[in-house]
Structure formats: C-alpha cells, structure tokens
Amino acid sequence: MKLTRRKLIKKSGQIAGALALSLKGFNFFDWSADAQEADIEKAPTLCNTCGSQCGAWAYVKNGRIWKVEGHEDHAWSMGKLCARSHGGLRWVYDPDRIKQPLKRVGEGEFEPISWDQALNEISEKLEHIINEYGPQAVGYGHYPRSTGTFYGNRFMYALGVSTVCTHLTSCSAARNTGFLYSMGGVPQADISKSKYVLMIGRNHGGGIKTGYMKKVSEAIAGDTKIVCVDPRQNDIAKLADKWVPIMPGTDLAMVLAISNEIIQNGWYDEKFVNEHAVGFEEYAENIKEYTPEWAEDISDVPADTIREMAKDLGENRPHALVHPSWGGAFGALYANSDETARAVSCLNGLIGNINQEGGLIFYNSPELGSLDESQHPVPEEPQTRRADGVGVIDEYPLAGNYGLPHYLMEKAKAGTFRSMFIRHHNPVRNFPDYEHMAEGFKSLDLSVVFEINMTETAMLADYILPECSFMEREEMINGIPGPRPSISMRTKVIPKVYEQTRSFDEIIVGLAERLGIGQYFNFTLDDLNRALLKPYDITLEEFKEIGSMTVEVEKPTSLDQFEFNTRSRQFEFYSELYEHVGQPGVVGWQEPEIGVELKEDEFKLITGKEGFHSHTATANIDILAQITKDYDTNRLWMNKATADKKGIKDGDRVKVISPLKTQEARIKVTQRVHPGTVFMPSGYGNKTPYYEKSNEIDAINTNDLVPYRVAEISGHAMRQEVLVKIEKV
Ligand SMILES: Nc1nc2c(c(=O)[nH]1)N[C@H]1C(S)=C(S)[C@@H](COP(=O)(O)OP(=O)(O)OC[C@H]3O[C@@H](n4cnc5c(=O)[nH]c(N)nc54)[C@H](O)[C@@H]3O)O[C@H]1N2
Ligand SMILES: Nc1nc2c(c(=O)[nH]1)N[C@H]1C(S)=C(S)[C@@H](COP(=O)(O)OP(=O)(O)OC[C@H]3O[C@@H](n4cnc5c(=O)[nH]c(N)nc54)[C@H](O)[C@@H]3O)O[C@H]1N2
Ligand code: SF4
Ligand SMILES: [Mo]
C-alpha cells in the first residue's frame, strides 16, 4: 500500500552486538538490524478500545503497527492515550479474530461461507420477516458511534424499521433521562476551574476518558475540593479530599437532604430560580421533609457530612458542581436511578451553575456539513410503533431513542419480535441475567452480528459478519464539543490483515443493494466525508494527513441568553410531562427495588470499571489480561471488619449466592469498601470458549447474578438490583 500522505521518519539503528546467532535459518540480528533501519510511517487515526475514540498517531514499521501515541489536536486525547489503547493493538493481529463470514449450523457450531452467500441469505430472510410480520419485528443494536449510527440507522429506516437501539440502557439511560427532563441534556463538568466538586459514583481513574482525566488531574493539583461518594474507595477517591462511603442505591436520599438543606438555609441561587426555572415552589415543598438525619438513617452518610456538602456547594456557587456522572450510581443501576439523576440535576439548578465557570457547561458542537439531499435521498425516520415500547404511552413513553434491548429479548421469547442486527456490542454478556438475554437472542428467527471477536452474542447468532479492524478501515468524520473542540476521523493505517473482512459501511451497502434500498446509499464514504468537511477550508486529502484538528466553535451561551432544551425552555424543577405520563411532577424519595435495609448476612453486590479493561471488549487481550493476573484484581472486595466476623481471609474462596445463581469467587479483604457491600470489577466471567486468555482468569460477572428488570421511567436495565449471601467454601 502506498502511504504517501504519511510523514516518514528515518531511524538509523545500531546493531546490538556483532554476534549473529542463527535459529532454524532465522537470523535475529539481521532481522533486528533491518527492523531498526526500516522507515517508520506515522498515520493519524482513532483509538477504538473504548467508545471515547481518542485521536491517535499510529507508527508503522516493517508494515506492522509498532506503537500508538495520543493526538495533540483531539478533544479527548489532547496528546494522551490510556493503557487500553496499546492493548487494543493486539486485536489487529489476533489469530482468533473472525476472518470470514460464518453461518451457524448447530449449537456453537459455525461454517465459513462466502460474502455473497451471507449477504444473499440474510437479505432473503430479512425480506421474508418484514413481509410476514412487518418492520416492527426487526431491530438494530449497537455501540453508538458515527459510522455505526449513520449507516446502521439509515439502513433500518429505509426498511421501515424504527427500533434502533444502543448500549445506553445498560449504561447511562437514567442519567440521560433525569437530566434531559430537567435541564434539557447532559452538560460537561468544568472540573479544573471548580472550587468544589461532588462526585457521586464517578470514577475518572477507572471509567476513563483521557480528556476528562486530564481535567481531574488539574483539579487535584489545584485548589478544587473534591469529595467522592462511593460505596468503595475508588481510584479518584484515593486522591480526593474526602471519601464518603454510602449504602448502595441510597444516593437519592443524600441528594434530597443536601438540596433541602441548601433551600432551608437560603444558600440557593434565587436569581437563577426566579429567572431561569419553573416549579421551584412545588419542588421545595416536596423535599422539605428530607432532613440530613433522615438521609443518614437510609444512606449511612453522616448528617454532619450532608450539612457540610450543602454548605460547600452553597458557599462556592456558582463555581461548584455535582458531577453528572456516567454509568455509576445513577446511570442504569437501580429502580430509583432515574429519580436520583433528576435530583442531582435539580441540585445543580439550585446552585445556578449552568454555563458558569467551574460549573456545568453546555458546549456548542463543531459545525459539520451534510450530503446534498436532492442528490442523496434520506429515508424518513419511520413512525411505526417501536417494538421496545419506547415512546409508547402504555409502555415506556419517556425512554429515549437509545432503545431497550433487554426488553426486546422478552418480546423475542414471546414470539412478537423476530430479528436483531447487532454491531460492535455484546448485549448478551453486558445486560443483567445472562439466561434471559441468551434465550431471547436464541429465539430470534434471524440474528446477525457484526464483530471482530467471537463474543457471547456472536456465539448465539445465525450469521457473524467479520469487520476489518479499526486500523484497516476509514470512518465518518465526527465533531466533539468541549473546552478544546475538534473534528476527527479514522484513517486507514495498514492494509487488511485478513482479506475476507470488510468495513461496516461496505457490508451495509451490500445488503442495501440486495434489498432494493440501494438509492439511499448512492455515495461513497469519501463523498460523505467531503460533505461533512464542507464548512472547513481543508480538502479531505489534506484532512486525512492530520486526522484530527482543533476547530473554532461559538463559546458557550451565557446564562442570561441561554435557553434550556426543555418543553418550557426553562430549567424544570417541576415536569408537566412526567405528570402527564403518571410520574411525579417533582422529585421525591423512592426506594431501590431491593430496599435499603440489609438482613443478617445479606450484601449489596456492586461492580465498576478498572482502568485497564473496557467492558468485555478487552477481556481476551493478552497484555491487559496480564495486568489483571499480575495485580490479582479479579477478586470480590469485602470489608475487613465484615470478613473478620465471617472468618474469611484474603484470597479465600466464597460462594456468592443470588436469587438467580450461586457462583464462586475469591475475596479481597480491604477497608476500602462499605461493610454491607461487596464489589466485583467488571468485564470478567466470559462465557465464550474463544476467549482463552480471559478464561484463564477465575472471576464472576455480576450480570450472571442480577435478575432481568426494566426500570419504570427510562426503561434501563437496573444492573445492581440484587442482594447476595456470601459463604466461605
Ligand atoms: N477503563 C475503562 N474506562 C471506561 C470504560 C471501561 O469499560 N473501562 N467504559 C466507558 C463507559 S461506557 C462508561 S459508562 C464510563 C463509566 O465511568 P464511571 O461511571 O465512572 O464508572 P463505573 O466504574 O461504572 O462506576 C463508577 C463508580 O460507581 C460506584 N458505584 C456503584 N454503585 C454505586 C452506588 O450505589 N452509589 C454510588 N455513589 N456509587 C456507586 C462504583 O464503585 C464505581 O467506583 O467509563 C468509560 N471509560
Ligand atoms: N457487569 C457489568 N456489566 C456492565 C457494566 C459493568 O460495569 N459491569 N457496564 C455497562 C456499561 S457502562 C456499558 S456502556 C455496557 C457496554 O456494553 P457493550 O457495548 O456490549 O460493550 P463491550 O463489551 O465493550 O462490547 C463491544 C464489542 O465490540 C466489539 N468490537 C471492538 N471493535 C470492533 C469493531 O471495530 N467493529 C465491530 N463490529 N466490533 C468491534 C468487541 O469485540 C466487543 O464485543 O456494559 C454494561 N454492562
Ligand atoms: S480512553 Fe483509552 S481506550 Fe478509550 S479511546 Fe481513549 S485511549 Fe482509547
Ligand atoms: Mo457505559
């Protein structure tokens, strides 16, 4: 392949010693000398080891990727990458990668087929299902990123399919919903300029986005007071001013009491409340019963600590914030997570920190162009009833268009939902209740998985379509808002390692043509990227040389001019819409489904990310699995006092007994976890025989122990609604 656009770096190498040892005809020193003399090509790309897709520079030596470094002009990486990024390179050369289309011929048995056969058979079966049962029997689920969303949704819409889903129902659906219906969206936290930051179940050192971590580091080094509320002392809590352990699932009580305390003491921002908000009176009236003592009883957070948090937030407003979080605490964990998120949003409203320095900022997005619609017809988003009940009045009217894949599996078992296309996503392993997800997925008449690895979901699919890896394809340009906004694209760094793999856009176009909807794809990826790039004074060819660039974007609108993206265009302490669909108009206390009290010998089971793994995606990467082994992280955390009482020692094997299942784990005895809580790092406990490296790691996955549930408001998956018993083996 010609890589003319890449800057060549010549390295004059030295041979390490003159001795040349010959090994079965292979001369290491000759090879080493050649390798050191070889040109190094540098190409811009995007990391793909997690959804952040940080800008990176890939270095290619002897035709092989040698290393990656952070791209300085990318909004997230800002010159830095995390450990996972280096691990992700192993995917490219993994001999166990899916190398050609596979068709299921028995339980866990597949036969390789040609692309023509795969695309023909899939198209015929899909056409039959749509003709027989209508497009509402079909759905799409994916990890929501540019190319997957653009090509996947366009394909589905062209077929009349409205049920397009993402993984967010297992991630941040509750957070997104609570913030959407109060402040109109999820802003970014201006952490480094803040005087006081309250982080509730947010671990920037485990759930990494490099740009955010950079801001947190600046805050830690600066004058910001950081308080972390987490049932365990997470990676940031170790560096923060204070760690506040809490009983899992009770954050709502603490947040309501802080808010009430702020109102009672007159520490809230009256101007904001009067000029930018609706429903303050109803809200204040509804939460006035929630005292710090009441919250202490429920949450184990001392009343005095709650008073201190209220005072710190009030005194430092508007340069203070309660972090909008992500997947922890109020992402998709408990029955009350939707309301916890709304309460956190309202607490930020109380201190009037929106679009204020050191507060929560709605950044404007970089401008991007679009294809000329007169030349390239756009399929309408179908108005058909969604199979997952999103937007349906007697199902999940307030759930977002991220969809409910776990609920779809219930419909699949009932025979009312028949076909699912999955890309870059492993829902069978990542949603609670493996049996529920697996049985649902197996019940489908047609399941198609676009993957690079043989995942739990792929193992159950009718067809697996192999994508080429992230270093072997191009993708759509995307724009990232933030303090240093950028636009970026994935460029192709090396030729395909496995000839029979294809990029997602290429596969979708192949299917579209067979299904008679080719007119919606009458452009190339280059055409599309040229159109997106139109607002900028740069050609696509030039852009492919740099991959990412910082762009000018209008500064965040000042609060005086700011219009909230809500029905009233104001901040909504009270939501008419909630009341309309039978939910409380203002936020109040709600218990998690498993309650707040623990019986003798019961534990709350929680989970969370480690900085060196991404969900299940990296589980089988050897050098990342080695970190797990070296540091023995795949253990269940138990509080020392609790362990002593139960006669359990560090490293002991225990049975973890949930209403669904009993599994065995090894214990890590620590003082860094709440006494009524056990914590298991996420991403382990794979069920696919193809993940050899991962299967060497003895661990559980909480999703095996948590029953299938759907939350009332946003429909999220309630990933931590479970109580377990622990017995020494
Ligand atoms: N290394 C790495 N980085 C990632 C990812 C990854 O897989 N690996 N994934 C990315 C994605 S998709 C996401 S969503 C983010 C997630 O980023 P985070 O949401 O920060 O990550 P989590 O570890 O899921 O949860 C954060 C914390 O919530 C705590 N927690 C659990 N239950 C409760 C509770 O009831 N109350 C409170 N207060 N805290 C609780 C956990 O102990 C954990 O420390 O990370 C992103 N970055
Ligand atoms: N127990 C437990 N469960 C959790 C969580 C937890 O902390 N603990 N976290 C939850 C959260 S926050 C989230 S966001 C979800 C995440 O759930 P998922 O979105 O399912 O995340 P991954 O496991 O990272 O799955 C991504 C898949 O994409 C594949 N892949 C990688 N690169 C490519 C590519 O280039 N093309 C294609 N086609 N495929 C590719 C990987 O092999 C992997 O199987 O999980 C949730 N579930
Ligand atoms: S946070 Fe790490 S793994 Fe995720 S895209 Fe950035 S460098 Fe890659
Ligand atoms: Mo997530």
Side-chain angles (χ1 to χ4, degrees):
M1 190 174 79
K2 263 202 133 167
L3 295 164
T4 46
R5 70 182 194 276
R6 281 82 202 254
K7 210 164 90 191
L8 293 186
I9 306 166
K10 191 87 175 161
K11 248 201 151 185
S12 58
Q14 298 288 322
I15 305 176
L19 262 181
L21 285 175
S22 183
L23 195 87
K24 286 186 190 158
F26 171 78
N27 188 312
F28 173 76
F29 291 103
D30 285 353
W31 173 86
S32 164
D34 281 353
Q36 292 200 39
E37 287 295 329
D39 289 335
I40 298 165
E41 296 170 359
K42 187 181 170 191
T45 187
L46 300 177
C47 176
N48 197 43
T49 320
C50 87
S52 296
Q53 312 226 320
C54 293
W57 288 105
Y59 292 77
V60 180
K61 196 172 171 181
N62 278 347
R64 210 182 145 94
I65 299 161
W66 172 51
K67 66 166 184 178
V68 277
E69 279 179 353
H71 197 303
E72 56 292 347
D73 292 327
H74 187 273
W76 296 140
S77 44
M78 296 192 223
K80 303 280 180 206
L81 298 173
C82 80
R84 293 171 290 156
S85 179
H86 304 277
L89 297 178
R90 299 292 243 249
W91 274 336
V92 181
Y93 301 105
D94 186 350
D96 287 336
R97 237 174 78 184
I98 303 166
K99 304 185 192 77
Q100 82 179 85
L102 298 174
K103 179 180 179 173
R104 189 150 66 92
V105 290
E107 186 95 359
E109 280 176 50
F110 293 87
E111 74 177 16
I113 55 173
S114 71
W115 274 105
D116 257 344
Q117 186 187 344
L119 299 182
N120 287 340
E121 287 185 15
I122 292 167
S123 307
E124 278 159 25
K125 287 178 184 172
L126 182 59
E127 199 161 22
H128 171 77
I129 289 170
I130 291 177
N131 288 339
E132 193 84 356
Y133 308 104
Q136 57 274 23
V138 180
Y140 172 50
H142 74 300
Y143 202 113
R145 291 297 170 269
S146 57
T147 311
T149 303
F150 182 89
Y151 279 88
N153 289 10
R154 200 175 175 98
F155 174 72
M156 289 294 162
Y157 290 168
L159 291 169
V161 173
S162 57
T163 310
V164 295
C165 307
T166 70
H167 69 194
L168 289 176
T169 324
S170 69
C171 169
S172 55
R175 187 274 306 259
N176 299 356
T177 306
F179 271 70
L180 177 68
Y181 291 113
S182 47
M183 65 165 82
V186 184
Q188 290 186 35
D190 193 14
I191 298 177
S192 57
K193 299 211 185 89
S194 195
K195 293 190 175 144
Y196 180 83
V197 175
L198 183 58
M199 288 191 202
I200 303 174
R202 175 73 179 100
N203 178 21
H204 285 83
I208 298 175
K209 191 163 217 152
T210 43
Y212 287 166
M213 187 57 220
K214 196 167 176 166
K215 295 284 165 207
V216 173
S217 305
E218 284 167 23
I220 290 169
D223 300 329
T224 314
K225 180 170 175 185
I226 301 178
V227 176
C228 290
V229 180
D230 196 313
R232 63 170 190 125
Q233 192 190 34
N234 67 43
D235 303 287
I236 297 303
K238 283 193 286 189
L239 308 169
D241 293 273
K242 192 166 187 163
W243 167 45
V244 179
I246 191 168
M247 169 69 91
T250 66
D251 300 87
L252 178 58
M254 179 192 70
V255 174
L256 291 171
I258 299 172
S259 310
N260 186 28
E261 191 66 11
I262 288 180
I263 296 172
Q264 298 306 326
N265 287 291
W267 291 330
Y268 64 97
D269 186 334
E270 238 181 299
K271 188 167 183 291
F272 177 83
V273 163
N274 291 334
E275 293 176 11
H276 299 282
V278 295
F280 173 72
E281 300 297 332
E282 291 95 321
Y283 161 73
E285 177 63 25
N286 201 52
I287 68 168
K288 70 170 193 237
E289 60 182 300
Y290 305 124
T291 62
E293 280 70 22
W294 165 84
E296 173 176 337
D297 235 27
I298 294 173
S299 66
D300 296 342
V301 177
D304 282 348
T305 305
I306 291 177
R307 288 202 173 86
E308 185 184 295
M309 291 166 169
K311 193 156 185 273
D312 280 339
L313 283 166
E315 278 181 352
N316 290 302
R317 75 174 159 78
H319 315 293
L321 62 93
V322 186
H323 200 282
S325 265
W326 201 343
F330 47 91
L333 302 186
Y334 309 106
N336 64 7
S337 290
D338 289 303
E339 287 299 68
T340 309
R342 190 154 66 127
V344 168
S345 176
C346 289
L347 176 48
N348 281 295
L350 275 184
I351 57 170
N353 67 5
I354 288 101
N355 282 12
Q356 304 274 15
E357 187 176 272
L360 300 184
I361 317 265
F362 285 100
Y363 290 101
N364 292 309
S365 289
E367 198 189 344
L368 286 172
S370 57
L371 287 167
D372 176 357
E373 291 185 19
S374 68
Q375 306 292 316
H376 309 288
V378 184
E380 293 262 322
E381 184 174 340
Q383 295 308 306
T384 43
R385 185 185 165 113
R386 282 180 64 125
D388 55 6
V390 169
V392 179
I393 194 74
D394 53 354
E395 290 186 276
Y396 298 96
L398 293 183
N401 59 6
Y402 34 74
L404 312 177
H406 52 324
Y407 182 44
L408 282 177
M409 293 305 103
E410 185 182 322
K411 299 212 165 175
K413 283 195 262 186
T416 54
F417 179 71
R418 295 180 177 268
S419 175
M420 190 90 187
F421 284 57
I422 299 283
R423 188 227 174 202
H424 198 160
H425 184 20
N426 187 13
V428 169
R429 177 67 293 186
N430 282 319
F431 276 80
D433 206 334
Y434 177 81
E435 260 74 36
H436 164 73
M437 292 303 292
E439 273 169 38
F441 208 69
K442 276 196 269 189
S443 316
L444 296 168
D445 294 348
L446 172 66
S447 52
V448 180
V449 169
F450 302 77
E451 254 295 348
I452 56 167
N453 293 313
M454 205 61 170
T455 64
E456 286 81 357
T457 309
M459 287 289 296
L460 301 176
D462 295 317
Y463 294 91
I464 309 173
L465 302 180
E467 251 205 274
C468 44
S469 83
F470 65 112
M471 288 284 177
E472 306 157 317
R473 62 173 193 250
E474 291 191 338
E475 289 204 54
M476 264 177 81
I477 291 174
N478 68 345
I480 306 170
R484 246 180 66 189
S486 66
I487 61 167
S488 59
M489 80 173 278
R490 179 183 308 295
T491 73
K492 189 170 168 173
V493 174
I494 52 164
K496 281 184 201 174
V497 174
Y498 299 113
E499 209 36 56
Q500 286 297 308
T501 56
R502 288 185 185 178
S503 63
F504 183 65
D505 52 292
E506 192 187 347
I507 306 171
I508 287 294
V509 173
L511 283 170
E513 279 163 358
R514 285 169 173 81
L515 283 154
I517 50 169
Q519 72 273 26
Y520 296 112
F521 296 92
N522 63 352
F523 50 84
T524 62
L525 185 60
D526 273 354
D527 295 336
L528 176 58
N529 277 331
R530 270 196 192 96
L532 290 164
L533 208 52
K534 238 180 259 163
Y536 301 95
D537 187 21
I538 187 170
T539 64
L540 180 60
E541 288 66 33
E542 285 164 348
F543 192 60
K544 285 183 186 181
E545 300 249 344
I546 55 171
S548 291
M549 68 179 186
T550 307
V551 292
E552 288 284 320
V553 171
E554 219 177 296
K555 292 257 168 310
T557 317
S558 75
L559 183 57
D560 289 347
Q561 312 287 321
F562 189 75
E563 202 173 74
F564 288 90
N565 177 33
T566 56
R567 275 186 128 197
S568 63
R569 314 315 282 172
Q570 300 269 70
F571 188 100
E572 296 195 354
F573 286 107
Y574 161 81
S575 167
E576 204 181 343
L577 199 62
Y578 267 50
E579 212 147 82
H580 179 69
V581 299
Q583 296 296 337
V586 286
V587 71
W589 171 241
Q590 186 192 345
E591 282 203 356
E593 194 136 321
I594 47 172
V596 292
E597 305 233 334
L598 295 171
K599 290 197 205 85
E600 175 76 18
D601 246 18
E602 271 178 350
F603 292 87
K604 293 203 168 181
L605 172 64
I606 67 165
T607 178
K609 276 80 178 158
E610 293 175 312
F612 45 90
H613 278 297
S614 289
H615 312 294
T616 64
T618 56
N620 203 44
I621 292 177
D622 52 359
I623 56 174
L624 297 180
Q626 193 61 42
I627 301 179
T628 304
K629 291 178 192 166
D630 288 350
Y631 291 88
D632 202 10
T633 69
N634 47 311
R635 287 180 291 162
L636 187 71
W637 295 26
M638 179 182 268
N639 181 279
K640 171 131 184 12
T642 315
D644 286 349
K645 227 188 285 168
K646 292 180 77 69
I648 292 173
K649 289 193 201 58
D650 202 48
D652 275 356
R653 281 191 88 74
V654 294
K655 282 186 186 161
V656 187
I657 305 157
S658 98
L660 274 193
K661 237 190 197 99
T662 297
Q663 290 195 328
E664 287 191 14
R666 273 180 323 121
I667 288 285
K668 168 188 167 108
V669 173
T670 173
Q671 291 176 339
R672 290 173 52 201
V673 66
H674 177 281
T677 305
V678 284
F679 168 83
M680 184 67 210
S682 67
Y684 300 111
N686 288 99
K687 287 185 186 291
T688 158
Y690 291 86
Y691 278 23
E692 275 177 34
K693 286 285 165 274
S694 160
N695 291 338
E696 289 166 9
I697 292 171
D698 166 27
I700 59 171
N701 187 310
T702 55
N703 292 331
D704 282 324
L705 303 163
V706 181
Y708 159 65
R709 285 194 180 93
V710 188
E712 217 180 322
I713 299 176
S714 71
H716 69 81
M718 302 203 236
R719 286 198 286 107
Q720 285 181 187
E721 285 283 11
V722 74
L723 290 171
V724 295
K725 288 193 171 15
I726 308 281
E727 282 174 12
K728 194 171 157 176
V729 173

